[in-house]
Amino acid sequence: MTLALGSADHPARILIVDDEPHNRRVVEVMLAPEGFLLLSADNGEDALAMVAQRPPDLVLLDVMMPGMDGYQVAARIKGDPSTRNVPIIMVTALDDRNARMLGLAAGAEDFLSKPVDRAELVVRVRNLLRLKAATEELALRASELATVHAIAHGATARLARLQGITAALGNTVTQDDVAESVLSEAIVALECKAAAVVVTEPGSQTLTLLRE
């Protein structure tokens, strides 16, 4: 979880999206002491292009922008399976219930009202980065567990089939019976295709076709 929160070698990448240069600069000054890698875009189209190229760890997204507004940008980010887990904080001068409902519908995780308070900004950013890190850690552990389960299931199935070979050998009498039993059980146990069973006597280079 250290990577998502940021470290000296791998600082968390935060994308600031606002059409006003002054607003972007204010947020950058507030977050710079925290050691984050700060990126910026002045419109929704550029922001989406940057997110698609390399998803950031978090997006600070202004709502009121010309062209594509913040709601549309958020909906596009959350609608893409490769970026849907990127947390979004919407920054708005609109402090009403309807604006926040629209933001939630678009997929935003949190909101900040302008003018932005530095302490509140830092706390909300860090909380969402921790949540993202915990979610990614949980997904990784679930994937590892599923892989281990699949391997164990396959090993158990193969062991059962090999035990079938042993049982089949116990019920054979002739060499042909042995070859027939081993071949049929081995093909199933090893999940492969075989055309023939060939044996050779110790010290001999003569091959004997048992079954074809």
Side-chain angles (χ1 to χ4, degrees), residues 64-148:
M64 305 303 293
M65 295 186 295
M68 183 179 291
D69 63 25
Y71 301 128
Q72 293 172 303
V73 175
R76 290 277 294 277
I77 292 174
K78 294 300 183 178
D80 187 335
S82 65
T83 59
R84 67 177 50 167
N85 293 326
V86 175
I88 297 174
I89 299 178
M90 303 203 80
V91 184
T92 177
L94 304 175
D95 191 17
D96 62 79
R97 180 176 181 276
N98 184 58
R100 292 177 180 265
M101 290 299 294
L102 288 173
L104 290 172
E109 279 80 9
D110 208 344
F111 301 88
L112 280 171
S113 298
K114 294 179 181 179
V116 175
D117 178 79
R118 181 183 183 278
E120 184 180 10
L121 170 65
V122 172
V123 168
R124 291 180 185 274
V125 166
R126 287 196 168 274
N127 284 347
L128 281 180
L129 288 175
R130 289 191 181 95
L131 179 61
K132 179 175 182 288
T135 301
E136 291 174 346
E137 182 75 11
L138 183 61
L140 177 62
R141 293 291 174 260
S143 176
E144 292 174 345
L145 183 61
T147 300
V148 171

Side-chain angles (χ1 to χ4, degrees), residues 14 16 22-36 38 60 91 112-123 125-126:
I14 297 178
I16 303 166
H22 173 72
N23 292 340
R24 297 196 304 273
R25 181 57 183 160
V26 168
V27 174
E28 289 172 355
V29 170
M30 290 180 176
L31 291 178
E34 305 303 315
F36 301 128
L38 302 176
L60 282 164
V91 184
L112 280 171
S113 298
K114 294 179 181 179
V116 175
D117 178 79
R118 181 183 183 278
E120 184 180 10
L121 170 65
V122 172
V123 168
V125 166
R126 287 196 168 274

